[in-house]
């Protein structure tokens, strides 16, 4: 196997890699028409309160129903969309759909004990630097008749590492309006923990790599200590902690004991169609 040189992701000596390059090129050129033709769709994965097990909202995860290749996950096309700039209109579309969906959930599920459902939407770094972000978000919320507190925007830790004030300004404006900002994949970016104070975030989403260590029983003691430390730091900074990748009941219990607030993962539900979330939340609300 040829080793790729200089950070090149593709190993051209590998025949399969050639196929991947062609697909990559093909996918890139098909992206704009895919948006026009409505080939993207969104799945929603519930966010569950660890204390009482209630569904509090969902994360929107985009998929592409490609006419030849079938359903493609975001890891296949988001990087391409970022590279070509299509991520801006695509991200706007995801935001608009998701916020509308949140409104529908709220209308149908308004008065339950756990409170109105909220929606988490991923933002790519390119969207952060796009000048229309704040205005687009405000308009989308207004059009849907949804208050800003229904929305949480997820930004990866790596996108904010070394972020200067210009980059943080739109996030600050959104946070002041009442939109929650979550630091996604937290713990993978080697960011300075003290840096957290500077960021307009209110939620830490602990990366799946931490929950993995809790799959076996007893859990890895070092992982436990690290998570315990992160949770206590987060809470002392008034940040809520969400954990990703919870696949077993044992993990959920461990993370609850460690003080994590919200969880997401296959143990509760895989990402699915919006009706599924409504069912889960409703079952939950009626006991
Ligand atoms: P993410 O934001 O960290 O989303 C969580 C990913 O973990 C999702 O993968 C989800 O399906 C997966 N996951 C959830 N629970 C479990 C579990 O228990 N076990 C395991 N093994 N995996 C679990 P997905 O849907 O493939 O999305 C991958 C990434 O693509 C997302 O990571 C996010 O960074 C990005 N993405 C998804 N939708 C969008 C979007 O609309 N815009 C942008 N910019 N990025 C998006
Ligand atoms: Mg996310
Ligand atoms: Mg994440
Ligand atoms: Mg992740």
């Amino acid at each position: 196997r040829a080793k790729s040189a200089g950070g090149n992701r593709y190993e051209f000596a590998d025949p399969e890699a050639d196929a991947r390059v062609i697909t990559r090129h093909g996918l890139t050129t098909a992206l704009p028409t895919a948006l026009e033709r409505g080939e993207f769709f969104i799945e929603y994965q519930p966010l569950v309160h660890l204390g009482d097990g209630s569904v509090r909202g969902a994360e929107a995860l985009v998929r592409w129903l490609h006419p030849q290749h079938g359903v493609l996950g975001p890891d296949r096309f988001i990087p391409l969309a970022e590279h070509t700039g299509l991520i801006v209109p695509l991200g706007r579309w995801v935001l608009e759909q998701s916020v509308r969906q949140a409104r529908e959930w709220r209308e149908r599920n308004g008065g339950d004990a756990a409170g109105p459902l909220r929606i988490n939407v991923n933002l790519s770094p390119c969207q952060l630097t796009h000048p229309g972000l704040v205005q687009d978000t405000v308009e989308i919320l207004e059009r849907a008749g949804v208050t800003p507190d229904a929305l949480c925007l997820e930004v990866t830790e790596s996108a904010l590492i070394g972020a200067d004030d210009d980059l943080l300004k739109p996030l600050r404006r959104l946070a002041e309006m009442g939109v929650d900002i979550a630091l996604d994949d937290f713990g993978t970016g080697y960011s300075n923990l003290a840096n957290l104070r500077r960021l307009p975030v209110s939620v830490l989403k602990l990366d799946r790599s931490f929950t993995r260590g809790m799959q076996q029983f007893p859990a890895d003691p070092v992982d436990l200590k690290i998570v315990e430390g992160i949770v206590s730091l987060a809470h002392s900074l008034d940040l809520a902690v969400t954990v990703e990748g919870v696949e077993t009941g044992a993990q959920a219990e461990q993370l609850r004991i460690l003080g994590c607030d919200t969880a997401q993962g296959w143990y509760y539900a895989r990402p699915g169609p919006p009706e599924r979330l409504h069912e889960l939340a409703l079952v939950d609300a009626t006991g």
Side-chain angles (χ1 to χ4, degrees):
R1 264 195 148 215
K3 190 92 181 75
S4 62
N8 199 331
R9 278 186 61 198
Y10 296 99
E11 301 173 283
F12 291 101
D14 173 357
E16 270 179 46
D18 288 336
R20 280 203 298 273
V21 172
I22 293 162
T23 314
R24 181 190 155 107
H25 177 74
L27 291 182
T28 304
T29 50
L31 271 170
T33 32
L35 187 58
E36 286 161 24
R37 288 184 188 153
E39 291 171 7
F40 294 104
F41 66 101
I42 302 172
E43 289 192 315
Y44 298 89
Q45 187 177 35
L47 288 151
V48 177
H49 189 257
L50 274 165
D52 62 14
S54 62
V55 175
R56 296 301 174 93
E59 178 173 8
L61 297 159
V62 68
R63 279 90 179 82
W64 179 4
L65 181 55
H66 189 286
Q68 277 94 47
H69 304 296
V71 175
L72 302 177
D75 293 335
R76 289 291 298 280
F77 62 85
I78 290 286
L80 308 179
E82 286 176 338
H83 191 68
T84 57
L86 193 84
I87 192 67
V88 171
L90 176 59
R92 201 187 291 128
W93 179 81
V94 172
L95 185 63
E96 176 121 50
Q97 297 299 308
S98 306
V99 163
R100 279 201 209 148
Q101 189 54 62
R103 205 251 327 253
E104 199 190 308
W105 287 330
R106 290 186 148 208
E107 278 171 355
R108 294 168 66 186
N109 207 37
D112 77 355
L117 294 170
R118 312 181 67 236
I119 186 76
N120 283 38
V121 179
N122 293 285
L123 269 196
S124 108
C126 314
Q127 290 173 274
L128 270 185
T129 51
H130 185 79
L133 175 67
V134 176
Q135 188 61 29
D136 286 350
T137 308
V138 169
E139 283 173 15
I140 284 171
L141 287 167
E142 277 174 1
R143 267 204 296 278
V146 169
T147 50
D149 66 326
L151 177 64
C152 176
L153 294 172
E154 302 192 358
V155 185
T156 59
E157 185 190 13
S158 53
L160 293 185
I161 283 181
D164 58 20
D165 271 354
D166 280 349
L167 191 78
L168 296 178
K169 212 178 279 169
L171 285 184
R172 279 213 184 92
R173 294 240 344 251
L174 290 163
E176 281 159 16
M177 279 164 43
V179 173
D180 268 319
I181 311 292
L183 204 52
D184 204 355
D185 298 344
F186 182 78
T188 57
Y190 308 101
S191 73
N192 181 350
L193 288 180
N195 197 20
L196 280 176
R197 296 181 53 189
R198 219 165 60 78
L199 303 175
V201 298
S202 45
V203 181
L204 279 195
K205 284 194 86 170
L206 209 55
D207 192 68
R208 194 158 76 228
S209 49
F210 293 103
T211 39
R212 218 172 278 144
M214 270 155 237
Q215 244 155 9
Q216 67 271 34
F217 187 84
D220 183 303
V222 177
D223 279 329
L224 288 183
K225 282 283 171 214
I226 292 172
V227 174
E228 200 175 15
I230 292 174
V231 170
S232 93
L233 174 84
H235 285 168
S236 70
L237 294 171
D238 271 334
L239 304 174
V241 179
T242 299
V243 284
E244 331 182 294
V246 177
E247 294 181 357
T248 68
Q251 274 173 308
E253 179 57 8
Q254 193 60 254
L255 291 158
R256 187 188 65 77
I257 291 167
L258 289 172
C260 297
D261 303 290
T262 315
Q264 181 181 353
W266 297 347
Y267 172 62
Y268 302 101
R270 302 228 173 192
E275 308 79 55
R276 176 90 185 107
L277 189 97
H278 184 70
E279 285 161 22
L280 289 167
L282 204 66
V283 165
D284 176 77
T286 54

